Amino acid sequence: LTAMLALAVIARRAVAVAVAGGVEAGELGPALCRAAGVPVVADLSGIYAWARPGDRMLVDGDAGLVRINPPPTAVARFRARR
């Protein structure tokens, strides 16, 4: 997650970021997202095999989980925790 991409994510007011590759400790991009309150879940190898264009994703930065096309009950539980 580059710093430029992180700034674009923040500017677009994204609520979370899912990154296929890994991130290193101290990288600027994830640090910028954390400072802006945007959770980042990284090292999602295989995400392109699971997700397709138009799929909905629930990104839980606290738990480090991503769910593809979660059922409405899972989304409701996630929102209730917020």
Side-chain angles (χ1 to χ4, degrees), residues 9-32:
V9 163
I10 294 164
R12 291 176 185 235
R13 298 181 183 186
V15 295
V17 178
V19 180
V23 296
E24 298 293 324
E27 275 190 54
L28 184 56
L32 289 170

Side-chain angles (χ1 to χ4, degrees), residues 18 41 44 47 50-51 55-61 63-78 81:
V41 177
L44 297 170
I47 189 78
W50 309 323
D55 282 350
R56 295 180 62 204
M57 294 175 61
L58 188 151
V59 180
D60 185 342
L65 299 173
V66 174
R67 292 186 70 177
I68 308 298
N69 294 319
T73 54
V75 175
R77 280 192 308 269
F78 178 77
R81 287 188 325 179

